[in-house]
Amino acid sequence: VAQKWRQVGLKNPKHHPVATMTEQQKHRGPELPLVPVKRQRHELLLRAAGSAPIMLLSGYEGEVYFFKFHPKGSTFASAGFDRLILSWNIYGDCDNTAILKGHSAAVMELHYNTDSSMLFSASTDKTVAVWDSETGKRVKRLKGHTSFVNSCYLASLFALAVTMAVKFWDIWKKAAIQTFWNMYRVLAVTFNDTSDQIISGGIDNDIKVWDLHQNKLMYTMTGHADSVTGLSLSSEGSYLLSSAMDNTVLVWDIWPFAPKERYVKIFQGNVHNFEKNLLRCSWSPDGSKIAGSSADRFVYVWDTTSRRILYKLPGHAGSISEVAFHPD
């Protein structure tokens, strides 16, 4: 593992204002929110928001589509076209600690469950895999989708996975207990803060909210002019962030008694291109900033209140699929 998956410091730590945090801060975390983002081809960058990259992680055999921080913030997992899931340390030398094998096609999305004991992966092999996050062993495999699984999400002992339908899975029974059918392919999915509603977006440009108790579509939010590729719920659960192929990132009010027109704000700057990749978006933990991946090789970070672009982070040689803030 050490020979195949190498970590390359981008600058001499003695001369790098951010890299010097390694010895002093690796036990308490960095002071700036970390934003790891995909580097084309087959590499990943770890940086502090607004700064030069701290670390370059290389060794992938294909494009990196997604990564997810461990809830405790000490590690993160990444996956992509090469079918592998890699676990990395955040601090120190960012060592690769594990390689999870089991999917037979590209891995599109990753999520930890609430107590971080399990890692879930959605794949184009039409399955969702459940992994023990400590041992790296696959403990369950959820089958039943008839096409690529583009997205998944977790709540307690239940999982969501999407293709043309949104399937609500009981993890232990390994069975889909509810299915919400959509006329068009679904590309992104999440729960609301109470996990009694499912929020989905796809190639019909709309965002749909489904009620689990009533087993029906509650309402549809329209505003994007092209496919919705990313969804992210704010930490307090009142607002939804969405990114789409119309080159916009929108904020929606999803409180139960919000006005019928739920669209709140629009953020612009990041772009899609002919590759039509699933570009994602993310909230900072305190909700003061949002970030969006982009096909123009930059990471965009906006101020939530003013909608001003705070940072336009360079360093990539191709389209960036995923961006996220460190939980601390």
Side-chain angles (χ1 to χ4, degrees), residues 27 42-43 72 95-96 114 118 131 188 201 242-243 249 259 281 283 319:
H27 297 300
H42 326 326
E43 295 173 338
K72 295 181 180 178
D95 297 319
N96 170 232
T114 51
M118 294 183 289
W131 311 81
S242 64
S243 59
V249 177
C281 53
W283 294 90
S319 179

Side-chain angles (χ1 to χ4, degrees), residues 89-207:
N89 283 325
I90 292 291
Y91 305 115
D93 293 329
C94 297
D95 297 319
N96 170 232
T97 58
I99 300 176
L100 282 59
K101 300 179 180 180
H103 281 294
S104 59
V107 181
M108 302 301 294
E109 191 159 320
L110 301 169
H111 284 285
Y112 288 95
N113 67 337
T114 51
D115 65 2
S116 69
S117 62
M118 294 183 289
L119 176 68
F120 290 70
S121 56
S123 173
T124 57
D125 64 8
K126 306 177 185 179
T127 69
V128 175
V130 184
W131 311 81
D132 186 306
S133 63
E134 292 294 327
T135 65
K137 294 182 179 180
R138 190 179 70 189
V139 294
K140 294 184 185 296
R141 191 180 185 193
L142 308 180
K143 300 179 181 180
H145 289 280
T146 58
S147 186
F148 299 161
V149 183
N150 296 305
S151 181
C152 65
Y153 204 80
L154 281 299
S156 187
L157 297 178
F158 301 97
L160 295 177
V162 298
T163 50
M164 294 292 289
V166 179
K167 287 186 178 290
F168 183 55
W169 293 85
D170 184 307
I171 297 169
W172 298 115
K173 293 181 179 179
K174 295 198 295 185
I177 55 179
Q178 285 176 272
T179 300
F180 300 90
W181 290 99
N182 200 61
M183 186 177 296
Y184 301 97
R185 182 175 295 278
V186 181
L187 301 178
V189 68
T190 188
F191 281 106
N192 68 338
D193 60 332
T194 54
S195 301
D196 59 359
Q197 292 180 343
I198 297 170
I199 307 169
S200 64
I203 65 172
D204 58 359
N205 311 344
D206 296 335
I207 298 172

